[in-house]
Amino acid sequence: MRSSTLFRRINRHPLQTRTALQLAEPVRDMCVPPVDSIVEYGAYVQGKKVAATGIVEALNLVRERNKESDGANAFVWVGLHEPEAPEVEWLSEVFGLHPLSVEDAVKAHQRPKVERYGESLFMVLKTIAYLDHDELTATSEIIAAGEIMVFLGPDFVVTVRHGDHCPLTVVRERLEDKPKLMNRGPAGVLHAISDHVVDQYLQVADLMQLELEEVEATVFADVSSRDINRIYQLKREMLEMKRAITPLQSPMAALPQRRVIPSDMREYFRDVGDHLSRVCEQVESSNELCSSILQAALARSNALANEDMRKISSWVAILAVPTMIAGIYGMNFDFMPELHSVWGYPAVLSVMVTACVFLHRGFRRNGWL
């Protein structure tokens, strides 16, 4: 429940990053946090979820289990969706999160990155989703972007998600169904989340490739099916997708070298990095293809405009011959060739038709008509 008392209690104490010794100590009872944005939380011991009445109780439980047995790999996983500042600040007091990372988690719109604060790790992942549409138009929104922030500690994982797509419920259920995967600890959860996000990248990249192939087929089709605005919109969506994926390459490549990542998990993160590199290459090639399609569409439109101008000019030239002859004979002079002849009128018409036919054949032979 939110209250003014809660806000005062949270803001009264400065947020500081705890040391490893302090992180291992039991957490004292604290005020009840706001729960509007908490999607789910759980305590996991040996890969299995154990009952806990609250987040503080779950954290104390796993720390007691870790003290009793070395290598127990017990941890707490808390998931939030678009939280407000008091909620994240309360969690920062519970888990000892750094104030800068808390500020980033609340404000969102961060660049993909991996930062270390003491014994904890803070990672930002951009998420993308492909939006279904019946027909791609100049105003269609194809790519929806969001963010996932992950706070990783020795015995906890806190995920903060912004955006309505890419939920982590599927990841949690998959890990809970396989205790061996959940027993990898917080690093295993981080690997599962990053792998899930990169898989989403690959799916969206494949769907965007299909969109590009469809648009490419229309470039050299009928004039009515060629829409420059539609291609430009697709180009903008490709750039947004590139901005979300490409900056993650460097943090993901450096992640296996972090000390908080166990040695047995580093190969898994390298595998995710390889998949990310493949997606980045596909996105880069698709972006270049989209630029080529846009240039080809503009060139094709200019060529069609020139072709139309040639046709108009050809017909103007053909019609200019009878117009000129009729204009000359309409000047009402007394002395003009064949003016008083019986065959004068048919002869002039024959000259007009013959000249127009020869001009038409000449333009057709040169490809103007």
Side-chain angles (χ1 to χ4, degrees):
M1 298 288 295
R2 291 186 175 89
S3 66
S4 58
T5 305
L6 169 63
F7 294 169
R8 289 196 299 270
R9 184 169 184 178
I10 290 176
N11 296 326
R12 189 185 305 134
H13 303 286
L15 299 176
Q16 297 179 353
T17 304
R18 298 180 182 177
T19 63
L21 184 59
Q22 290 174 326
L23 287 172
E25 295 178 354
V27 180
R28 298 187 301 272
D29 292 336
M30 306 178 73
C31 54
V32 179
V35 294
D36 291 350
S37 64
I38 298 179
V39 179
E40 191 173 358
Y41 70 90
Y44 300 91
V45 179
Q46 296 297 332
K48 296 181 180 179
K49 190 174 183 179
V50 296
T53 58
I55 296 176
V56 175
E57 292 76 8
L59 185 58
N60 290 332
L61 174 63
V62 300
R63 287 179 177 175
E64 290 177 1
R65 295 294 181 91
N66 287 333
K67 282 184 177 180
E68 294 174 358
S69 174
D70 292 337
N73 235 0
F75 66 95
V76 177
W77 183 0
V78 182
L80 299 93
H81 178 245
E82 296 182 353
E84 297 182 1
E87 301 171 351
V88 183
E89 289 174 357
W90 183 87
L91 289 174
S92 70
E93 289 191 351
V94 175
F95 295 103
L97 307 179
H98 196 276
L100 293 177
S101 61
V102 171
E103 182 180 358
D104 291 343
V106 174
K107 291 184 177 180
H109 303 293
Q110 302 296 319
R111 182 181 176 88
K113 60 182 179 179
V114 176
E115 295 180 348
R116 179 186 173 188
Y117 297 101
E119 296 297 324
S120 63
L121 197 71
F122 177 65
M123 185 173 186
V124 179
L125 297 168
K126 285 284 189 179
T127 60
I128 58 175
Y130 181 85
L131 302 180
D132 294 329
H133 51 271
D134 297 331
E135 182 179 358
L136 181 61
T137 62
T139 58
S140 298
E141 186 178 2
I142 308 173
I143 301 297
E147 295 178 25
I148 294 179
M149 285 82 165
V150 182
F151 298 90
L152 186 74
D155 50 16
F156 67 87
V157 178
V158 179
T159 56
V160 179
R161 183 169 59 91
H162 292 268
D164 296 329
H165 61 278
C166 198
L168 298 179
T169 305
V170 178
V171 179
R172 187 187 291 266
E173 292 177 352
R174 178 167 61 86
L175 292 177
E176 289 179 350
D177 292 339
K178 298 180 179 180
K180 184 178 179 180
L181 298 179
M182 187 68 81
N183 194 37
R184 293 173 178 172
V189 175
L190 179 62
H191 166 262
I193 294 173
S194 58
D195 186 58
H196 177 68
V197 171
V198 173
D199 287 343
Q200 288 287 104
Y201 291 166
L202 185 59
Q203 294 177 11
V204 175
D206 291 339
L207 293 173
M208 290 296 292
Q209 185 68 30
L210 295 177
E211 290 282 0
L212 284 173
E213 293 175 357
E214 180 183 349
V215 171
E216 185 180 14
T218 64
V219 170
F220 298 98
D222 297 335
V223 180
S224 59
S225 62
R226 191 179 302 105
D227 189 356
I228 301 298
N229 293 333
R230 175 186 176 188
I231 302 174
Y232 184 73
Q233 174 67 12
L234 190 60
K235 172 67 175 177
R236 290 187 61 184
E237 297 294 326
M238 288 298 304
L239 290 176
E240 182 175 354
M241 184 176 175
K242 183 179 178 180
R243 285 195 297 266
I245 296 177
T246 304
L248 185 59
Q249 268 191 300
S250 179
M252 186 61 68
L255 187 59
Q257 310 303 324
R258 300 281 182 173
R259 289 193 301 173
V260 295
I261 304 299
S263 57
D264 58 340
M265 289 296 302
R266 292 176 180 175
E267 294 182 358
Y268 294 94
F269 284 100
R270 292 193 186 99
D271 181 67
V272 176
D274 292 339
H275 292 172
L276 179 62
S277 298
R278 193 183 80 180
V279 175
C280 290
E281 292 174 359
Q282 182 175 350
V283 170
E284 184 65 30
S285 62
S286 298
N287 185 47
E288 294 178 358
L289 177 61
C290 189
S291 299
S292 301
I293 292 174
L294 182 59
Q295 294 176 1
L298 293 174
R300 181 63 176 164
S301 297
N302 293 333
L304 290 175
N306 293 334
E307 184 177 349
D308 293 338
M309 289 300 298
R310 287 197 300 267
K311 290 182 179 180
I312 294 173
S313 301
S314 300
W315 285 112
V316 169
I318 292 173
L319 295 175
V321 174
T323 303
M324 180 187 66
I325 296 175
I328 292 174
Y329 276 88
M331 289 189 293
N332 297 323
F333 288 108
D334 290 334
F335 302 99
M336 296 186 70
E338 307 296 336
L339 188 61
H340 301 287
S341 173
V342 177
W343 299 98
Y345 185 70
V348 172
L349 291 180
S350 299
V351 171
M352 291 182 181
V353 172
T354 303
C356 291
V357 169
F358 275 104
L359 287 173
H360 187 272
R361 290 185 61 183
F363 287 130
R364 286 290 298 271
R365 189 181 300 111
N366 293 328
W368 283 47
L369 289 176

